[in-house]
Amino acid sequence: MADAKNPVIVCVDDDPDVLRAIARDLRRRYGDAYRVLRADSGAEALDAVRELAGKNEPVALVLSDQRMPGMDGVGLLSEVANLTPKTKRVLLTAYADTDAAISAINDSRVDYYLLKPWDPPEAKLYPTLDDLLADWKANHRPGYGGLRLLADRWNADAHRLRDFLSRNNVPYRFEDVERDAEAGALAEGAGLPLVILEDGDRLEAPSARDLAARIGLRQEAERAFYDLAIVGGGPAGLASAVYGASEGLKTVLLEREAPGGQAGTSSRIENYLGFPAGLSGADLARRGVAQAERFGVEILAPVEVSGLRTDGPYKILQMSDGREISCAALMLATGVDWRKLPASGAPEFEGRGVYYGAAMTEAMGCKDQHVVVVGAGNSAGQGALHFADYADRVTVLVRGDDLAKSMSQYLVDRIEAHERIDVRLNTEVQSCDGDGHLQRVCLADCRTGATETFDCSYLFVFIGAAPHTDWLPPEIVRDERGFVRTGPDLRDGDLDGWPLERDPFLLESSVPGVFVAGDVRHESVKRVASAVGEGSVAVAFVHQHLAAL
């Protein structure tokens, strides 16, 4: 029998035989790690979830039949989402009800639907539930264990460490020294943020790199030479790593922050093939890392690459700490960074009310607050919908006159229908102000110049991207904005030093054997699927290059 402290899976069906069968299959697979509870109606299941939530006992998954008297499955799972938002919710339905199931995913926050019968469960039940439970477990933060991070709510360095730990799936507990007397006493006289490790050691105001070294994140390469080195751990880099290593290449991936890149900070990715309910950027990154490590990829993070030089056909990467790694082929998948908000006072409040990207570690702090989102792309749209689950009001600021010009229509429709989200077109942030943290923003009408000031403590910025390519040597040709040119996009003058008889491959830079994939590439499509595709396809060109050495 599962331990009473284990998280709970609830299965619901009004047919006793079906309920026994699903409970049997669930216990056979998950009984050692989860408690499996049965309910024969939506009302009984909802009472059970409510009681568990009241006792602070985690509910990992609710699996419910659709057709039940009184409360159907969609109604139950919608109520579960309100009670325990992090619980995974699966609808078990017949083929005739698939339209209702798809509508439930779109409208009722259902994570997945499965068709009856689910036999054999090894093929039709367990793979889906394995993924959902792995996602839940990765995001579950129990109230014990892990690190303790002590600081005040508006400490910018603490925000960066919290973001770093979350994106690297390191459990931690944040304690506000201004609101928690015990935390305040522990941190008295210490440099903030203060990190208390599980063994009791205290780190005062550590850098992310220092903290990574203490918690066991790998930063040292096992080899001096690799077939393929990849700089950047976003979707393009992870895809290259998976395909390269799975095809026998000795592969290392170097990431300066956390795997997932900019996509890893996304609150929800809904248009990626194969995930009908969407998934968070963190979940996508976690899956990519697990897949890459399964094939033997060495992932080093956080590691800053500061330079590149060539020695004949080989490439030498220089780290910021002086170390070097050599490789036969190099993949540049460094992605992009969010552009900074060009508003007076914004730099002063970065990490203290002004955040770039979704900054999901701040979501709980937004409860009952007025949140402002700046931007008109898909990331801004997903961010607005995410923060609307916590905030009292979300205002989306768009410089242009039409939200649909740069945002997918499915997001536009959901934002316009959301009762807690307002959209202000032709509007930009002119200035940010506050005492110690952001408290006010001044907005300007782009057409008339008229201004308006209102209270705001949370401002999330999604205003385009800038490539991280300043460290590259001049031999690697970039466009006027810093994006790397490849293949057909290289102009005649760009190849004056090209030493080979063949032309550059499709995703190859102006230096033979240096390939480019994802957002950092000139004129790339800024979508997760295209980045994964480029990272995968580029490995085929890597093989052709290596074969000719």
Side-chain angles (χ1 to χ4, degrees):
M1 181 175 295
D3 192 288
K5 294 181 180 179
N6 285 355
V8 175
I9 295 174
V10 179
C11 55
V12 193
D13 201 300
D14 64 318
D15 184 319
D17 292 335
V18 175
L19 185 59
R20 278 195 296 271
I22 188 67
R24 176 200 65 214
D25 287 343
L26 291 174
R27 288 190 177 116
R28 187 173 66 185
R29 179 78 163 196
Y30 306 111
D32 289 340
Y34 296 87
R35 286 179 287 158
V36 177
L37 305 184
R38 298 187 296 178
D40 60 12
S41 70
E44 181 184 351
L46 192 61
D47 286 343
V49 172
R50 187 178 289 112
E51 181 178 351
L52 290 165
K55 295 178 180 178
N56 202 30
E57 297 184 36
V59 180
L61 173 74
V62 175
L63 176 62
S64 174
D65 183 43
Q66 166 60 4
R67 295 191 179 186
M68 298 185 295
M71 178 184 291
D72 64 17
V74 171
L76 166 63
L77 296 179
S78 297
E79 291 296 327
V80 169
N82 293 327
L83 278 174
T84 57
K86 294 184 179 181
T87 297
K88 296 299 180 181
R89 299 166 296 278
V90 178
L91 196 66
L92 190 61
T93 186
Y95 180 78
D97 293 327
T98 53
D99 287 345
I102 293 171
S103 296
I105 289 174
N106 289 334
D107 303 328
S108 304
R109 294 185 287 178
V110 172
D111 290 297
Y112 214 89
Y113 74 91
L114 294 169
L115 295 177
K116 296 179 182 178
W118 61 88
D119 288 329
E122 289 77 11
K124 297 185 177 181
L125 178 68
Y126 297 149
T128 296
L129 298 190
D130 286 349
D131 276 349
L132 290 172
L133 289 170
D135 288 347
W136 178 85
K137 189 175 180 180
N139 293 308
H140 177 55
R141 297 291 183 263
Y144 55 89
L147 310 178
R148 299 174 68 183
L149 196 160
L150 284 61
D152 66 89
R153 176 184 176 190
W154 301 111
N155 186 299
D157 291 332
H159 164 73
R160 285 188 282 271
L161 286 182
R162 291 165 65 193
D163 189 58
F164 169 77
L165 291 169
S166 295
R167 292 178 61 194
N168 280 282
N169 292 309
V170 178
Y172 75 94
R173 183 168 69 249
F174 176 69
E175 300 177 29
D176 191 335
V177 297
E178 294 182 344
R179 300 183 179 185
D180 185 325
E182 180 186 353
L186 279 171
E188 187 174 358
L192 299 180
L194 172 66
V195 175
I196 302 178
L197 303 176
E198 290 187 88
D199 61 7
D201 281 357
R202 295 158 61 101
L203 306 179
E204 297 188 20
S207 67
R209 182 173 174 79
D210 291 340
L211 180 56
R214 291 300 305 270
I215 61 179
L217 294 183
R218 181 188 291 184
Q219 296 174 285
E220 299 283 344
E222 293 182 359
R223 302 167 176 265
F225 182 85
Y226 293 84
D227 298 322
L228 174 62
I230 302 163
V231 183
L238 287 170
S240 294
V242 167
Y243 276 84
S246 68
E247 294 171 8
L249 300 180
K250 299 300 181 185
T251 304
V252 63
L253 184 149
L254 304 99
E255 165 58 43
R256 63 191 174 111
E257 293 179 356
Q262 191 183 78
T265 68
S266 176
S267 55
R268 180 67 42 179
I269 301 168
E270 295 189 76
N271 54 2
Y272 189 49
L273 184 66
F275 295 89
L279 75 170
S280 71
D283 287 339
L284 179 64
R286 180 186 54 77
R287 292 169 184 238
V289 167
Q291 197 169 12
E293 290 180 335
R294 175 190 166 203
F295 289 118
V297 177
E298 286 183 43
I299 298 178
L300 310 182
V303 172
E304 179 80 20
V305 181
S306 58
L308 167 66
R309 71 178 192 275
T310 59
D311 183 3
Y314 305 115
K315 289 80 190 164
I316 298 101
L317 292 168
Q318 300 157 323
M319 312 297 129
S320 58
D321 62 2
R323 292 176 297 139
E324 293 186 343
I325 291 177
S326 301
C327 59
L330 173 64
M331 184 73 67
L332 300 177
T334 51
V336 291
D337 296 322
W338 292 113
R339 285 203 173 95
K340 300 300 183 181
L341 184 69
S344 173
E348 177 185 348
F349 298 110
E350 185 172 340
R352 295 186 293 157
V354 175
Y355 306 100
Y356 291 90
M360 289 185 287
T361 54
E362 303 298 332
M364 294 300 295
C366 297
K367 184 175 176 59
D368 301 325
Q369 299 287 318
H370 183 183
V371 168
V372 174
V373 172
V374 183
N378 280 10
S379 295
Q382 291 289 6
L385 290 166
H386 175 69
F387 293 120
D389 288 339
Y390 302 89
D392 178 65
R393 174 66 52 187
V394 175
T395 298
V396 181
L397 304 182
V398 180
R399 293 189 68 214
D401 57 5
D402 185 0
L403 187 61
K405 283 183 178 179
S406 54
M407 187 180 294
S408 296
Q409 191 61 47
Y410 78 96
L411 286 173
V412 174
D413 294 341
R414 290 173 60 189
I415 285 172
E416 291 179 345
H418 203 295
E419 61 182 6
R420 289 196 297 277
I421 300 179
D422 299 321
V423 178
R424 295 185 56 163
L425 304 176
N426 302 297
T427 305
E428 62 184 359
V429 179
Q430 187 177 74
S431 64
C432 302
D433 189 28
D435 182 12
H437 66 89
L438 181 69
Q439 293 174 307
R440 293 170 294 280
V441 293
C442 178
L443 307 184
D445 189 302
C446 298
R447 298 161 300 179
T448 66
T451 61
E452 173 190 357
T453 299
F454 62 82
D455 293 340
C456 168
S457 294
Y458 290 92
L459 180 70
F460 297 92
V461 183
F462 307 79
I463 57 169
H468 178 58
T469 56
D470 292 344
W471 60 277
L472 293 174
E475 293 81 28
I476 295 181
V477 175
R478 284 148 280 173
D479 64 18
E480 62 280 358
R481 296 182 298 158
F483 293 92
V484 181
R485 293 185 181 274
T486 59
D489 292 323
L490 288 164
R491 300 160 298 187
D492 291 340
D494 295 338
L495 295 173
D496 289 343
W498 182 259
L500 305 180
E501 292 184 6
R502 67 168 176 84
D503 291 334
F505 292 124
L506 179 65
L507 298 173
E508 193 171 22
S509 74
S510 54
V511 173
V514 177
F515 299 87
V516 188
D519 290 356
V520 72
R521 191 177 65 81
H522 171 75
E523 296 296 332
S524 66
V525 178
K526 305 300 188 285
R527 289 288 187 269
V528 170
S530 63
V532 170
E534 288 185 12
S536 307
V537 168
V539 174
F541 300 124
V542 169
H543 280 293
Q544 293 182 54
H545 170 74
L546 294 179
L549 291 181

